[in-house]
Amino acid sequence: MKKLLTVSVVIFILTIFNPVLSQTSDLDAMLTNVNQSSVTSGIIYERVMPFANLYNYNQVFDTATLGYFEQALSELYRASNQQKFMPHTSLRLLYTDINQNSVVDIGIINTQFSILNYNANNPSAGGLTLSNNQFYSIAGQPPFLQLHTLIIAPLKNGITGQNFTFNFRNDLFFSNGTQTITNLTADLGDGIQHSIIANGNFIANSVNISYTQTGYKVLSFTATYNDGSTHTTYGGLYAKVISTISVNGFDPLIEDGTLTANIAFQGYTETTPVYGQLQYRIFYHKNGGNTSPNLVKPIIISDGFDPGDIRKIQASDYVNPPYDPTKDHSIEDMMKYKDCNGIEALLIEDLRQKGYDIVIVNYPTYTAGNGQKIDGGADYIERNAMNMVALIQMLNGRLQSAGINEQLAIAGPSMGGQIARYALAYMEKKYAETNNAQWLHHTRLWISIDSPHLGANIPHGAQSL
Protein backbone atom coordinates (compact mmCIF):
# COMPACT_ATOMS: atom_id res chain seq x y z
CA MET A 1 0.00 0.00 0.00
CA LYS A 2 2.82 2.40 0.88
CA LYS A 3 4.62 1.85 -2.45
CA LEU A 4 1.36 2.25 -4.40
CA LEU A 5 0.59 5.48 -2.58
CA THR A 6 4.09 6.83 -3.24
CA VAL A 7 3.87 6.10 -6.97
CA SER A 8 0.41 7.67 -7.13
CA VAL A 9 1.65 10.86 -5.49
CA VAL A 10 4.62 11.06 -7.88
CA ILE A 11 2.38 10.63 -10.92
CA PHE A 12 -0.04 13.24 -9.56
CA ILE A 13 2.78 15.76 -9.08
CA LEU A 14 4.22 15.07 -12.52
CA THR A 15 0.86 15.59 -14.21
CA ILE A 16 0.43 18.92 -12.43
CA PHE A 17 3.77 20.23 -13.68
CA ASN A 18 3.47 18.56 -17.09
CA PRO A 19 -0.19 18.65 -18.20
CA VAL A 20 0.71 16.77 -21.41
CA LEU A 21 1.17 13.63 -19.31
CA SER A 22 -2.42 13.90 -18.08
CA GLN A 23 -3.84 14.24 -21.59
CA THR A 24 -2.91 11.00 -23.34
CA SER A 25 -0.17 8.44 -23.60
CA ASP A 26 -0.13 8.81 -27.42
CA LEU A 27 1.83 12.03 -27.75
CA ASP A 28 2.55 11.45 -31.42
CA ALA A 29 -1.17 11.53 -32.20
CA MET A 30 -1.34 14.93 -30.51
CA LEU A 31 1.55 16.22 -32.65
CA THR A 32 0.04 15.32 -36.02
CA ASN A 33 -0.20 18.98 -37.02
CA VAL A 34 3.29 19.93 -35.82
CA ASN A 35 6.41 19.84 -38.00
CA GLN A 36 8.89 17.58 -36.19
CA SER A 37 11.85 18.09 -38.51
CA SER A 38 13.72 19.98 -35.79
CA VAL A 39 13.74 16.85 -33.60
CA THR A 40 17.04 15.67 -35.05
CA SER A 41 17.76 13.44 -32.05
CA GLY A 42 14.65 11.37 -32.68
CA ILE A 43 13.78 11.69 -28.98
CA ILE A 44 10.81 13.62 -27.59
CA TYR A 45 11.09 13.25 -23.84
CA GLU A 46 7.39 13.81 -23.08
CA ARG A 47 6.58 10.47 -24.69
CA VAL A 48 7.42 8.88 -21.32
CA MET A 49 6.77 9.47 -17.64
CA PRO A 50 10.01 11.31 -16.72
CA PHE A 51 11.01 9.63 -13.46
CA ALA A 52 14.71 10.22 -14.27
CA ASN A 53 13.96 13.95 -14.53
CA LEU A 54 16.45 14.49 -17.35
CA TYR A 55 15.21 18.08 -17.56
CA ASN A 56 17.33 18.83 -14.49
CA TYR A 57 20.14 16.29 -14.75
CA ASN A 58 23.56 18.01 -15.16
CA GLN A 59 21.91 21.11 -13.72
CA VAL A 60 20.19 20.57 -10.34
CA PHE A 61 21.76 17.16 -9.67
CA ASP A 62 24.63 15.39 -11.38
CA THR A 63 25.53 12.02 -9.81
CA ALA A 64 24.42 8.72 -11.33
CA THR A 65 24.27 5.20 -9.92
CA LEU A 66 23.40 1.92 -11.65
CA GLY A 67 19.69 2.35 -10.97
CA TYR A 68 19.58 5.89 -12.33
CA PHE A 69 21.52 4.93 -15.46
CA GLU A 70 19.11 2.10 -16.24
CA GLN A 71 16.08 4.34 -15.66
CA ALA A 72 17.46 7.11 -17.89
CA LEU A 73 18.39 4.70 -20.69
CA SER A 74 14.95 3.08 -20.54
CA GLU A 75 13.20 6.46 -20.79
CA LEU A 76 15.35 7.64 -23.70
CA TYR A 77 14.78 4.35 -25.53
CA ARG A 78 11.01 4.63 -25.16
CA ALA A 79 11.00 8.37 -25.86
CA SER A 80 12.59 7.60 -29.23
CA ASN A 81 9.77 5.18 -30.03
CA GLN A 82 12.32 2.40 -29.46
CA GLN A 83 14.57 3.64 -32.28
CA LYS A 84 17.56 4.80 -30.20
CA PHE A 85 19.70 2.83 -27.75
CA MET A 86 18.24 -0.31 -26.12
CA PRO A 87 15.93 -1.34 -23.26
CA HIS A 88 17.53 -1.70 -19.85
CA THR A 89 16.74 -5.43 -19.89
CA SER A 90 19.01 -5.86 -22.92
CA LEU A 91 21.64 -3.68 -21.30
CA ARG A 92 21.84 -6.01 -18.31
CA LEU A 93 22.89 -8.87 -20.57
CA LEU A 94 26.07 -6.94 -21.38
CA TYR A 95 27.27 -6.41 -17.82
CA THR A 96 30.40 -8.13 -16.55
CA ASP A 97 29.41 -11.15 -14.48
CA ILE A 98 28.43 -10.16 -10.96
CA ASN A 99 30.73 -12.87 -9.57
CA GLN A 100 33.73 -10.84 -10.77
CA ASN A 101 33.54 -8.85 -7.56
CA SER A 102 36.39 -6.43 -8.29
CA VAL A 103 35.42 -5.61 -11.91
CA VAL A 104 32.88 -2.96 -12.88
CA ASP A 105 31.76 -1.62 -16.25
CA ILE A 106 31.19 2.07 -16.85
CA GLY A 107 28.11 3.10 -18.82
CA ILE A 108 28.05 6.37 -20.79
CA ILE A 109 25.02 8.16 -22.21
CA ASN A 110 25.80 11.27 -24.27
CA THR A 111 22.72 12.45 -26.10
CA GLN A 112 20.62 15.33 -27.23
CA PHE A 113 16.86 15.15 -26.82
CA SER A 114 13.88 17.38 -27.47
CA ILE A 115 11.12 18.63 -25.20
CA LEU A 116 7.89 20.38 -26.07
CA ASN A 117 8.11 24.17 -26.15
CA TYR A 118 4.73 24.37 -24.46
CA ASN A 119 3.72 26.70 -21.62
CA ALA A 120 0.37 25.65 -20.20
CA ASN A 121 -0.06 28.81 -18.13
CA ASN A 122 0.97 31.19 -20.90
CA PRO A 123 0.91 29.47 -24.33
CA SER A 124 2.08 32.61 -26.13
CA ALA A 125 5.37 32.35 -24.23
CA GLY A 126 6.08 29.01 -25.87
CA GLY A 127 5.94 27.58 -29.34
CA LEU A 128 2.82 25.40 -29.08
CA THR A 129 -0.84 25.74 -28.28
CA LEU A 130 -3.13 22.91 -27.25
CA SER A 131 -6.70 22.68 -28.49
CA ASN A 132 -9.03 19.66 -28.51
CA ASN A 133 -6.17 17.40 -27.53
CA GLN A 134 -4.11 18.56 -30.52
CA PHE A 135 -0.95 20.66 -30.55
CA TYR A 136 -0.48 23.50 -33.05
CA SER A 137 2.67 25.49 -33.76
CA ILE A 138 2.87 29.20 -33.01
CA ALA A 139 4.26 31.08 -35.98
CA GLY A 140 7.81 32.32 -35.52
CA GLN A 141 8.44 30.15 -32.44
CA PRO A 142 10.23 26.76 -32.29
CA PRO A 143 7.79 23.97 -31.36
CA PHE A 144 10.55 22.02 -29.61
CA LEU A 145 13.53 22.88 -27.43
CA GLN A 146 16.71 20.82 -27.63
CA LEU A 147 18.51 19.72 -24.47
CA HIS A 148 21.66 17.68 -23.90
CA THR A 149 22.58 15.26 -21.14
CA LEU A 150 25.72 13.39 -20.12
CA ILE A 151 25.23 10.44 -17.75
CA ILE A 152 28.18 8.29 -16.69
CA ALA A 153 27.75 5.62 -14.05
CA PRO A 154 29.32 2.42 -12.73
CA LEU A 155 27.10 -0.51 -13.71
CA LYS A 156 27.33 -2.15 -10.29
CA ASN A 157 26.21 -0.90 -6.90
CA GLY A 158 29.22 -2.33 -5.11
CA ILE A 159 32.60 -3.97 -5.65
CA THR A 160 34.84 -6.02 -3.37
CA GLY A 161 38.59 -6.53 -3.45
CA GLN A 162 41.82 -4.58 -3.12
CA ASN A 163 42.68 -3.92 -6.75
CA PHE A 164 39.75 -2.89 -8.94
CA THR A 165 39.23 -2.85 -12.70
CA PHE A 166 36.99 -0.28 -14.42
CA ASN A 167 35.99 -1.22 -17.96
CA PHE A 168 35.16 1.36 -20.66
CA ARG A 169 33.50 -0.38 -23.58
CA ASN A 170 32.09 0.70 -26.94
CA ASP A 171 28.94 -1.38 -26.45
CA LEU A 172 28.18 0.51 -23.23
CA PHE A 173 28.75 3.95 -24.80
CA PHE A 174 25.47 5.41 -26.05
CA SER A 175 25.92 8.56 -28.14
CA ASN A 176 23.27 10.40 -30.13
CA GLY A 177 23.29 13.88 -31.68
CA THR A 178 25.81 16.36 -32.97
CA GLN A 179 27.47 17.23 -29.64
CA THR A 180 30.07 14.47 -29.48
CA ILE A 181 32.80 13.75 -26.93
CA THR A 182 36.33 14.30 -28.20
CA ASN A 183 38.12 13.80 -24.88
CA LEU A 184 37.16 12.20 -21.57
CA THR A 185 39.14 11.98 -18.34
CA ALA A 186 38.12 10.14 -15.18
CA ASP A 187 39.05 10.34 -11.50
CA LEU A 188 37.90 6.95 -10.22
CA GLY A 189 38.15 7.88 -6.56
CA ASP A 190 41.93 7.47 -6.43
CA GLY A 191 42.76 11.14 -7.03
CA ILE A 192 44.38 10.43 -10.42
CA GLN A 193 43.14 11.76 -13.76
CA HIS A 194 42.94 8.86 -16.20
CA SER A 195 42.59 9.62 -19.90
CA ILE A 196 39.77 7.50 -21.33
CA ILE A 197 38.88 9.07 -24.69
CA ALA A 198 41.19 11.13 -26.91
CA ASN A 199 40.31 12.50 -30.34
CA GLY A 200 36.96 10.76 -30.14
CA ASN A 201 38.35 7.25 -29.56
CA PHE A 202 38.81 5.08 -26.48
CA ILE A 203 42.48 4.95 -25.54
CA ALA A 204 41.89 3.09 -22.28
CA ASN A 205 39.47 0.19 -22.33
CA SER A 206 40.23 -0.69 -18.73
CA VAL A 207 41.80 1.11 -15.78
CA ASN A 208 43.22 -0.68 -12.73
CA ILE A 209 43.26 1.15 -9.41
CA SER A 210 43.53 0.48 -5.67
CA TYR A 211 41.61 1.90 -2.74
CA THR A 212 42.97 2.04 0.79
CA GLN A 213 39.64 2.35 2.61
CA THR A 214 36.22 0.80 2.39
CA GLY A 215 33.43 3.26 1.65
CA TYR A 216 31.21 5.01 -0.86
CA LYS A 217 33.28 6.25 -3.79
CA VAL A 218 32.39 9.24 -5.95
CA LEU A 219 33.82 9.01 -9.47
CA SER A 220 34.20 12.18 -11.53
CA PHE A 221 34.27 12.39 -15.32
CA THR A 222 35.19 15.45 -17.38
CA ALA A 223 34.13 15.49 -21.04
CA THR A 224 35.35 17.87 -23.73
CA TYR A 225 32.99 18.23 -26.70
CA ASN A 226 33.60 18.89 -30.37
CA ASP A 227 32.51 22.52 -29.86
CA GLY A 228 35.22 23.04 -27.22
CA SER A 229 32.86 23.12 -24.23
CA THR A 230 33.41 20.90 -21.18
CA HIS A 231 31.27 19.32 -18.52
CA THR A 232 32.03 17.33 -15.37
CA THR A 233 29.58 14.71 -14.14
CA TYR A 234 29.72 12.09 -11.40
CA GLY A 235 28.97 8.47 -10.60
CA GLY A 236 28.88 6.56 -7.34
CA LEU A 237 29.35 3.06 -5.95
CA TYR A 238 30.40 1.31 -2.75
CA ALA A 239 33.82 -0.35 -2.55
CA LYS A 240 34.64 -2.96 0.07
CA VAL A 241 38.41 -3.10 0.45
CA ILE A 242 39.89 -6.42 1.51
CA SER A 243 42.78 -6.12 3.96
CA THR A 244 46.23 -5.89 2.43
CA ILE A 245 47.39 -8.77 4.64
CA SER A 246 44.87 -11.20 3.14
CA VAL A 247 46.27 -14.38 1.65
CA ASN A 248 44.35 -15.97 -1.23
CA GLY A 249 41.31 -13.89 -0.30
CA PHE A 250 41.49 -14.92 3.39
CA ASP A 251 42.11 -12.24 5.99
CA PRO A 252 43.67 -13.73 9.14
CA LEU A 253 42.53 -10.72 11.18
CA ILE A 254 38.83 -11.34 10.48
CA GLU A 255 37.04 -14.33 11.95
CA ASP A 256 33.51 -15.44 11.03
CA GLY A 257 31.50 -17.85 13.09
CA THR A 258 28.04 -19.18 13.94
CA LEU A 259 27.33 -19.96 17.58
CA THR A 260 24.51 -22.12 18.98
CA ALA A 261 23.30 -21.40 22.49
CA ASN A 262 23.80 -23.93 25.28
CA ILE A 263 20.46 -22.96 26.84
CA ALA A 264 17.18 -23.49 25.00
CA PHE A 265 14.22 -21.15 25.25
CA GLN A 266 10.59 -21.94 24.56
CA GLY A 267 8.57 -19.03 23.21
CA TYR A 268 5.14 -18.20 24.54
CA THR A 269 3.43 -19.61 21.44
CA GLU A 270 5.85 -22.52 20.89
CA THR A 271 5.45 -26.16 21.84
CA THR A 272 9.11 -27.09 22.37
CA PRO A 273 12.26 -25.30 23.56
CA VAL A 274 14.62 -24.12 20.82
CA TYR A 275 18.38 -23.56 20.93
CA GLY A 276 19.04 -20.20 19.30
CA GLN A 277 21.85 -19.14 16.99
CA LEU A 278 23.84 -16.02 16.26
CA GLN A 279 26.46 -15.00 13.72
CA TYR A 280 29.58 -13.12 14.74
CA ARG A 281 32.48 -11.49 12.99
CA ILE A 282 35.61 -10.57 14.93
CA PHE A 283 37.78 -7.75 13.58
CA TYR A 284 41.04 -8.30 15.45
CA HIS A 285 43.20 -5.39 16.57
CA LYS A 286 45.74 -3.89 14.16
CA ASN A 287 47.91 -1.78 16.42
CA GLY A 288 51.60 -2.50 16.62
CA GLY A 289 51.57 -4.16 13.22
CA ASN A 290 49.63 -7.16 14.56
CA THR A 291 49.12 -9.99 12.05
CA SER A 292 47.75 -12.69 14.41
CA PRO A 293 44.11 -13.31 15.41
CA ASN A 294 44.73 -13.04 19.15
CA LEU A 295 41.93 -11.76 21.36
CA VAL A 296 43.18 -8.92 23.60
CA LYS A 297 40.47 -6.29 24.23
CA PRO A 298 37.04 -7.43 22.99
CA ILE A 299 34.18 -5.04 22.41
CA ILE A 300 30.90 -6.78 21.57
CA ILE A 301 28.42 -4.83 19.42
CA SER A 302 24.99 -6.43 19.17
CA ASP A 303 22.63 -5.74 16.27
CA GLY A 304 19.13 -4.47 17.05
CA PHE A 305 15.63 -5.18 15.78
CA ASP A 306 15.94 -6.43 12.19
CA PRO A 307 13.04 -8.58 10.94
CA GLY A 308 14.09 -10.83 8.07
CA ASP A 309 17.80 -10.13 8.68
CA ILE A 310 17.77 -7.28 6.16
CA ARG A 311 20.74 -5.56 7.81
CA LYS A 312 23.97 -7.51 7.29
CA ILE A 313 27.31 -7.08 9.04
CA GLN A 314 29.12 -5.60 6.00
CA ALA A 315 28.30 -4.61 2.45
CA SER A 316 30.07 -7.71 1.13
CA ASP A 317 27.48 -9.89 2.91
CA TYR A 318 24.74 -8.72 0.53
CA VAL A 319 24.69 -11.34 -2.21
CA ASN A 320 21.21 -11.78 -3.66
CA PRO A 321 20.26 -9.06 -4.22
CA PRO A 322 23.67 -7.32 -4.14
CA TYR A 323 24.44 -4.34 -1.92
CA ASP A 324 22.68 -1.13 -2.95
CA PRO A 325 24.16 1.90 -1.10
CA THR A 326 21.02 3.94 -1.82
CA LYS A 327 18.86 1.71 0.38
CA ASP A 328 21.04 -0.84 2.20
CA HIS A 329 22.76 0.01 5.48
CA SER A 330 25.01 -2.62 6.99
CA ILE A 331 26.01 -2.64 10.65
CA GLU A 332 29.43 -1.38 9.54
CA ASP A 333 27.76 1.47 7.60
CA MET A 334 25.85 2.52 10.72
CA MET A 335 29.13 2.81 12.62
CA LYS A 336 30.57 5.46 10.31
CA TYR A 337 30.87 9.03 11.49
CA LYS A 338 32.36 12.35 10.45
CA ASP A 339 35.25 13.75 12.42
CA CYS A 340 35.65 17.38 13.45
CA ASN A 341 37.00 18.18 9.99
CA GLY A 342 33.93 16.75 8.29
CA ILE A 343 35.86 13.72 6.97
CA GLU A 344 34.09 10.36 7.03
CA ALA A 345 35.74 7.92 9.44
CA LEU A 346 35.26 4.23 10.16
CA LEU A 347 34.67 3.49 13.84
CA ILE A 348 35.57 -0.20 13.53
CA GLU A 349 38.94 0.65 11.96
CA ASP A 350 39.59 3.41 14.50
CA LEU A 351 39.04 1.01 17.40
CA ARG A 352 41.18 -1.71 15.80
CA GLN A 353 44.05 0.75 15.45
CA LYS A 354 43.66 1.57 19.16
CA GLY A 355 44.10 -2.09 20.10
CA TYR A 356 40.50 -3.31 20.42
CA ASP A 357 38.99 -6.48 18.96
CA ILE A 358 35.54 -5.66 17.57
CA VAL A 359 32.97 -8.48 17.75
CA ILE A 360 29.90 -7.71 15.63
CA VAL A 361 26.83 -9.84 16.39
CA ASN A 362 24.05 -10.50 13.88
CA TYR A 363 20.85 -12.46 14.49
CA PRO A 364 20.12 -14.37 11.26
CA THR A 365 17.13 -16.23 9.95
CA TYR A 366 17.79 -19.94 10.47
CA THR A 367 16.18 -23.36 10.85
CA ALA A 368 16.44 -24.73 14.38
CA GLY A 369 17.15 -28.33 15.29
CA ASN A 370 13.43 -29.14 15.54
CA GLY A 371 12.84 -27.85 11.98
CA GLN A 372 11.32 -24.57 13.14
CA LYS A 373 12.27 -21.49 11.10
CA ILE A 374 13.45 -18.68 13.36
CA ASP A 375 13.63 -15.02 12.35
CA GLY A 376 16.51 -14.04 14.62
CA GLY A 377 16.21 -10.33 13.96
CA ALA A 378 12.68 -10.33 15.41
CA ASP A 379 12.94 -13.32 17.76
CA TYR A 380 12.32 -13.45 21.49
CA ILE A 381 14.75 -11.28 23.43
CA GLU A 382 15.21 -14.15 25.89
CA ARG A 383 16.38 -16.60 23.20
CA ASN A 384 18.78 -14.11 21.64
CA ALA A 385 20.04 -13.37 25.16
CA MET A 386 20.92 -17.05 25.57
CA ASN A 387 22.91 -16.72 22.34
CA MET A 388 24.70 -13.74 23.84
CA VAL A 389 25.47 -15.74 27.00
CA ALA A 390 27.19 -18.39 24.85
CA LEU A 391 29.24 -15.71 23.07
CA ILE A 392 30.30 -14.07 26.35
CA GLN A 393 31.39 -17.42 27.74
CA MET A 394 33.33 -18.26 24.57
CA LEU A 395 35.22 -14.94 24.53
CA ASN A 396 36.00 -15.09 28.25
CA GLY A 397 37.25 -18.64 27.78
CA ARG A 398 39.65 -17.51 25.06
CA LEU A 399 40.98 -14.64 27.19
CA GLN A 400 41.51 -16.88 30.21
CA SER A 401 43.26 -19.55 28.11
CA ALA A 402 45.68 -16.89 26.86
CA GLY A 403 46.27 -15.60 30.40
CA ILE A 404 44.69 -12.23 29.65
CA ASN A 405 42.70 -10.53 32.43
CA GLU A 406 40.90 -8.05 30.17
CA GLN A 407 37.17 -7.63 30.77
CA LEU A 408 34.50 -7.21 28.11
CA ALA A 409 32.65 -4.15 26.89
CA ILE A 410 29.21 -4.73 25.35
CA ALA A 411 27.17 -2.23 23.35
CA GLY A 412 23.79 -2.63 21.73
CA PRO A 413 21.32 -0.29 20.04
CA SER A 414 17.57 -0.81 20.31
CA MET A 415 16.78 -4.51 20.84
CA GLY A 416 20.52 -5.20 21.00
CA GLY A 417 20.74 -3.26 24.25
CA GLN A 418 17.90 -5.28 25.76
CA ILE A 419 19.43 -8.58 24.63
CA ALA A 420 22.74 -7.68 26.28
CA ARG A 421 21.02 -6.49 29.47
CA TYR A 422 19.00 -9.71 29.77
CA ALA A 423 22.08 -11.85 29.13
CA LEU A 424 24.15 -10.06 31.79
CA ALA A 425 21.32 -10.14 34.33
CA TYR A 426 20.71 -13.84 33.63
CA MET A 427 24.40 -14.66 34.22
CA GLU A 428 24.49 -12.65 37.46
CA LYS A 429 21.39 -14.45 38.70
CA LYS A 430 22.82 -17.87 37.82
CA TYR A 431 26.11 -17.04 39.56
CA ALA A 432 24.24 -15.95 42.69
CA GLU A 433 22.34 -19.26 42.67
CA THR A 434 25.24 -21.61 41.90
CA ASN A 435 28.47 -19.76 42.73
CA ASN A 436 29.81 -21.39 39.56
CA ALA A 437 32.53 -19.33 37.85
CA GLN A 438 31.15 -20.14 34.37
CA TRP A 439 28.44 -17.54 35.03
CA LEU A 440 30.85 -14.69 35.71
CA HIS A 441 30.44 -12.40 32.70
CA HIS A 442 33.59 -10.33 33.39
CA THR A 443 31.99 -7.31 31.76
CA ARG A 444 33.28 -3.91 32.79
CA LEU A 445 31.02 -1.78 30.60
CA TRP A 446 27.53 -2.19 29.17
CA ILE A 447 26.21 0.46 26.76
CA SER A 448 22.56 0.60 25.81
CA ILE A 449 21.58 2.92 22.94
CA ASP A 450 17.94 3.84 22.35
CA SER A 451 16.66 0.64 23.98
CA PRO A 452 13.06 0.69 25.32
CA HIS A 453 13.76 -0.82 28.74
CA LEU A 454 10.40 0.38 30.02
CA GLY A 455 8.61 -1.24 27.09
CA ALA A 456 7.63 -0.08 23.62
CA ASN A 457 4.07 0.64 22.52
CA ILE A 458 3.94 -0.07 18.79
CA PRO A 459 0.61 0.18 16.92
CA HIS A 460 -0.64 -3.15 15.58
CA GLY A 461 -0.76 -1.69 12.05
CA ALA A 462 2.94 -0.82 12.22
CA GLN A 463 3.76 -4.26 13.59
CA SER A 464 1.92 -6.04 10.78
CA LEU A 465 3.68 -3.88 8.17
Side-chain angles (χ1 to χ4, degrees), residues 294-311:
N294 298 321
L295 205 64
V296 176
K297 290 185 177 181
I299 298 177
I300 301 173
I301 299 174
S302 171
D303 193 16
F305 186 63
D306 181 25
D309 191 26
I310 303 300
R311 184 173 49 250

Side-chain angles (χ1 to χ4, degrees), residues 70-328:
E70 289 187 344
Q71 181 66 34
L73 186 70
S74 174
E75 291 180 8
L76 290 166
Y77 169 71
R78 290 179 286 117
S80 70
N81 283 333
Q82 303 180 10
Q83 298 301 305
K84 304 291 182 180
F85 309 142
M86 64 174 63
H88 70 282
T89 50
S90 298
L91 176 71
R92 289 174 177 174
L93 300 177
L94 303 177
Y95 297 165
T96 295
D97 193 297
I98 193 170
N99 293 321
Q100 296 187 43
N101 296 325
S102 62
V103 180
V104 60
D105 302 315
I106 299 295
I108 303 173
I109 299 174
N110 177 62
T111 187
Q112 292 165 319
F113 63 97
S114 293
I115 62 173
L116 302 181
N117 187 14
Y118 173 64
N119 189 319
N121 296 321
N122 184 13
S124 61
L128 293 169
T129 60
L130 181 63
S131 176
N132 297 322
N133 216 34
Q134 287 289 308
F135 282 110
Y136 297 91
S137 297
I138 297 176
Q141 300 294 331
F144 301 95
L145 300 176
Q146 184 168 270
L147 301 181
H148 175 267
T149 190
L150 175 65
I151 305 169
I152 306 181
L155 301 183
K156 278 184 181 177
N157 288 316
I159 49 179
T160 303
Q162 184 183 357
N163 299 308
F164 302 96
T165 299
F166 290 80
N167 291 330
F168 296 85
R169 296 162 37 186
N170 283 302
D171 59 344
L172 298 175
F173 182 18
F174 303 94
S175 185
N176 178 43
T178 59
Q179 193 169 4
T180 58
I181 297 175
T182 57
N183 294 282
L184 178 69
T185 59
D187 178 348
L188 301 172
D190 58 347
I192 300 173
Q193 289 294 329
H194 304 273
S195 183
I196 308 301
I197 294 176
N199 299 317
N201 298 308
F202 279 110
I203 60 172
N205 292 111
S206 64
V207 177
N208 298 312
I209 68 166
S210 298
Y211 295 130
T212 58
Q213 282 192 328
T214 293
Y216 191 75
K217 307 298 180 182
V218 176
L219 322 176
S220 66
F221 305 91
T222 300
T224 302
Y225 298 104
N226 54 337
D227 61 2
S229 62
T230 63
H231 181 76
T232 299
T233 189
Y234 304 90
L237 84 167
Y238 187 91
K240 168 62 182 175
V241 180
I242 296 176
S243 172
T244 57
I245 63 174
S246 63
V247 179
N248 297 325
F250 171 73
D251 187 341
L253 291 187
I254 294 180
E255 176 188 332
D256 283 326
T258 299
L259 198 62
T260 300
N262 299 315
I263 306 165
F265 176 79
Q266 181 175 331
Y268 318 129
T269 61
E270 297 174 345
T271 57
T272 58
V274 173
Y275 291 91
Q277 295 179 15
L278 61 71
Q279 293 175 341
Y280 68 86
R281 180 166 297 160
I282 303 177
F283 299 85
Y284 288 98
H285 61 283
K286 287 184 174 180
N287 64 316
N290 176 52
T291 59
S292 301
N294 298 321
L295 205 64
V296 176
K297 290 185 177 181
I299 298 177
I300 301 173
I301 299 174
S302 171
D303 193 16
F305 186 63
D306 181 25
D309 191 26
I310 303 300
R311 184 173 49 250
K312 308 297 184 182
I313 295 178
Q314 291 181 283
S316 56
D317 297 316
Y318 294 78
V319 178
N320 189 19
Y323 180 80
D324 182 351
T326 63
K327 64 181 182 67
D328 294 324

Side-chain angles (χ1 to χ4, degrees), residues 393-410:
Q393 291 176 330
M394 182 192 78
L395 296 176
N396 280 329
R398 289 191 186 183
L399 290 171
Q400 292 165 10
S401 296
I404 298 174
N405 295 321
E406 185 71 27
Q407 292 191 319
L408 306 177
I410 305 177

Side-chain angles (χ1 to χ4, degrees), residues 7-85:
V7 172
S8 300
V9 170
V10 170
I11 293 175
F12 174 72
I13 292 172
L14 288 171
T15 54
I16 289 177
F17 289 100
N18 192 341
V20 174
L21 296 173
S22 64
Q23 297 290 327
T24 176
S25 60
D26 192 358
L27 179 64
D28 290 304
M30 300 172 66
L31 291 169
T32 303
N33 302 301
V34 177
N35 185 342
Q36 299 183 31
S37 61
S38 62
V39 185
T40 56
S41 66
I43 300 171
I44 302 176
Y45 193 39
E46 283 84 359
R47 285 176 176 145
V48 298
M49 188 68 72
F51 286 108
N53 189 12
L54 293 179
Y55 305 107
N56 291 314
Y57 194 75
N58 299 139
Q59 304 296 327
V60 178
F61 62 105
D62 205 9
T63 301
T65 58
L66 167 62
Y68 184 84
F69 189 91
E70 289 187 344
Q71 181 66 34
L73 186 70
S74 174
E75 291 180 8
L76 290 166
Y77 169 71
R78 290 179 286 117
S80 70
N81 283 333
Q82 303 180 10
Q83 298 301 305
K84 304 291 182 180
F85 309 142

